[in-house]
C-alpha cells in the first residue's frame, strides 16, 4: 500500500485530524463518530481494524482494545472534499458505544427533549470493570 496514496487525498484539519464515521455494513446504522490522525488511518488500512485518535486523551487507540468490541473494517470511503471518512464495519460484540449500547446515537429528540431510544446491552462496569468517564 502506498502511504502517500492513502494519506495525501485527505484534507486534515489544523490539528492533523479527520472526522470518521463508523457505519454498520449490514444495517447501515451509524454507530459512532470519531477522529483519526494519519497514523490511525494508516494502521486501519494496514490491519483491517479501526484505529482512532483520542482528542481528550491525546493518544492513538484501537477500537475494542479494552472492551473487546473491535471493528473489522470492510471498506473505507473518502468524501468529495476529502475531509470526512466513512468506514463500513462489522462490529464485534454488537456494541460500538462505551455506554454498552449498539450505537453512540441512542438519543432521539422528541417532545422537547432528548429521549433514550436504545437499551443498554451490557453495562460499562461489566465491559470495563469500572464506569468510564
Amino acid at each position: 500500500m502506498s502511504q502517500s496514496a492513502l494519506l495525501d487525498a485527505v484534507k486534515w484539519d489544523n490539528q492533523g485530524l479527520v472526522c470518521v464515521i463508523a457505519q454498520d455494513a449490514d444495517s447501515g446504522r451509524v454507530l459512532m463518530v470519531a477522529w483519526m490522525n494519519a497514523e490511525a488511518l494508516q494502521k486501519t488500512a494496514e490491519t483491517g481494524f479501526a484505529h482512532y485518535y483520542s482528542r481528550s486523551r491525546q493518544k492513538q487507540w484501537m477500537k475494542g482494545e479494552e472492551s473487546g468490541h473491535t471493528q473489522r473494517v470492510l471498506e473505507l470511503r473518502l468524501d468529495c472534499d476529502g475531509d470526512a471518512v466513512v468506514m463500513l464495519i462489522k462490529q464485534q460484540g454488537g456494541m460500538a458505544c462505551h455506554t454498552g449500547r449498539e450505537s453512540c446515537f441512542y438519543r432521539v429528540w422528541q417532545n422537547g427533549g432528548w429521549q433514550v431510544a436504545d437499551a443498554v446491552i451490557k453495562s460499562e462496569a461489566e465491559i470495563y470493570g469500572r464506569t468510564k468517564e
Side-chain angles (χ1 to χ4, degrees):
M1 163 187 39
S2 167
Q3 181 176 342
S4 64
L6 174 68
L7 303 178
D8 289 350
V10 176
K11 185 177 176 184
W12 305 97
D13 72 8
N14 60 1
Q15 296 173 339
L17 303 174
V18 67
C19 180
V20 183
I21 299 160
Q23 183 176 19
D24 185 272
D26 294 325
S27 71
R29 184 169 188 195
V30 174
L31 300 179
M32 59 181 277
V33 173
W35 297 90
M36 284 184 177
N37 61 8
E39 182 183 351
L41 181 56
Q42 186 173 348
K43 282 186 175 182
T44 297
E46 288 174 355
T47 67
F49 287 91
H51 288 75
Y52 298 104
Y53 182 80
S54 170
R55 295 178 300 167
S56 61
R57 294 177 288 160
Q58 298 286 299
K59 71 172 208 152
Q60 293 284 136
W61 60 287
M62 184 182 114
K63 178 66 176 170
E65 66 188 20
E66 288 185 49
S67 66
H69 302 144
T70 58
Q71 294 174 339
R72 179 84 174 130
V73 179
L74 304 180
E75 186 172 270
L76 287 170
R77 289 183 174 250
L78 185 63
D79 82 332
C80 59
D81 295 323
D83 61 0
V85 173
V86 171
M87 298 187 306
L88 296 180
I89 61 133
K90 292 279 189 182
Q91 178 67 54
Q92 177 66 34
M95 291 169 264
C97 187
H98 76 278
T99 66
R101 293 175 173 90
E102 175 187 15
S103 171
C104 294
F105 296 92
Y106 61 86
R107 293 177 280 195
V108 177
W109 182 258
Q110 292 177 330
N111 304 319
W114 290 107
Q115 309 299 318
V116 174
D118 295 354
V120 171
I121 298 168
K122 196 175 195 181
S123 75
E124 290 179 67
E126 289 175 292
I127 296 169
Y128 302 102
R130 68 193 186 301
T131 301
K132 289 189 70 115
E133 294 179 24

